[in-house]
Amino acid sequence: QSVLTQPPSVSGAPGQGVTISCTGSRSNLGANSDVHWYQHLPGSVPKLLIFNNINRPSGVPDRFSASKSGTAASLVITGLQPEDEADYFCQSYDTGLSGSVFGGGTKLTV
Amino acid sequence: QVQLQESGPGQVKPSETLSLTCTVSGASIGTYYWSWIRQAPGEGLEWIGTSHSTESANYNVSLKSRVIMSVDTSNNQFSLKMTSLTTADTAVYYCVRGGQRSWFDPWGQGTLVTVSS
């Protein structure tokens, strides 16, 4: 069982939007640890999508945005495109475990 | 452009030791933290540990007794050793830039390690 909780799957029609949640606890997100998001396309390598809660690396479309509040974080994808079909993972630092932790991943179907 | 490439055996027998090396290009290995992450078939991502050229490594508490990581600045490489392997250690192993308190980017291509007799 993952330390960070994500829904196993979400889906949306092309052009629509979806939100992927990431729920933590007082020892990670609630301890002011930053949240980072990754996109893992089938047959490819995980790619950094969002770092430090809200920041997009260069090259990531602004259709991808994220937020964090307390022990929860969210990734929002608007204007869904077929190529957005992938697994999405959240990641943070857990003070109790003294290590990095991931969510179980959310499979997005477009 | 920073690139990472894992190398090591694709198959290891149960109870044996896995040794993986990550070769870094485009960045000086002494400047950053470097980590290993794995993904078992059908499972999520699992942080294994983080190493640095001048600091002690940090490991996932669940793997700490079986893992050693090191950094080789002369060859711009870092490595992972995992002992007493079981079939549960079958996974794609990724080397990445970043430490346990930050994000991971970029990622190596990943190497599939199968633990089987």
Side-chain angles (χ1 to χ4, degrees), chain B:
Chain B
Q1 180 185 1
V2 180
Q3 293 185 312
L4 295 82
Q5 179 65 57
E6 304 89 351
S7 58
Q11 185 163 329
V12 182
K13 290 182 169 52
S15 81
E16 291 190 342
T17 295
L18 170 66
S19 292
L20 295 176
T21 297
C22 183
T23 301
V24 178
S25 60
S28 173
I29 201 161
T31 306
Y32 299 94
Y33 290 90
W34 306 93
S35 299
W36 290 93
I37 292 167
R38 70 180 182 178
Q39 184 174 30
E43 302 292 329
L45 298 167
E46 180 180 35
W47 171 74
I48 299 172
T50 294
S51 58
H52 190 274
S53 60
T54 60
E55 298 175 18
S56 299
N58 288 284
Y59 305 120
N60 187 317
V61 293
S62 67
L63 299 171
K64 190 172 184 175
S65 64
R66 301 194 292 127
V67 170
I68 296 176
M69 294 176 61
S70 60
V71 176
D72 178 359
T73 54
S74 60
N75 289 306
N76 228 42
Q77 297 176 327
F78 63 104
S79 64
L80 167 72
K81 276 189 175 18
M82 183 179 292
T83 62
S84 306
L85 291 181
T86 71
T87 55
D89 295 310
T90 293
V92 175
Y93 286 73
Y94 296 97
C95 61
V96 299
R97 181 178 63 174
Q100 70 266 30
R101 291 180 180 270
S102 74
W103 61 91
F104 301 117
D105 181 63
W107 295 55
Q109 284 298 307
T111 186
L112 174 62
V113 175
T114 302
V115 182
S116 172
S117 55

Side-chain angles (χ1 to χ4, degrees), chain A residues 12 17 19-20 27 30-31 34 44 47-48 50 55-56 58-61 63-64 68 70-71 73 83 86 94 109:
Chain A
T19 299
I20 298 174
S27 63
D34 291 321
S44 185
K47 169 190 165 186
L48 179 67
I50 299 284
N55 299 288
R56 283 188 308 275
S58 173
V60 173
R63 301 187 296 104
F64 296 89
K68 172 181 176 275
T71 58
E83 56 263 37
D94 191 283
T109 301

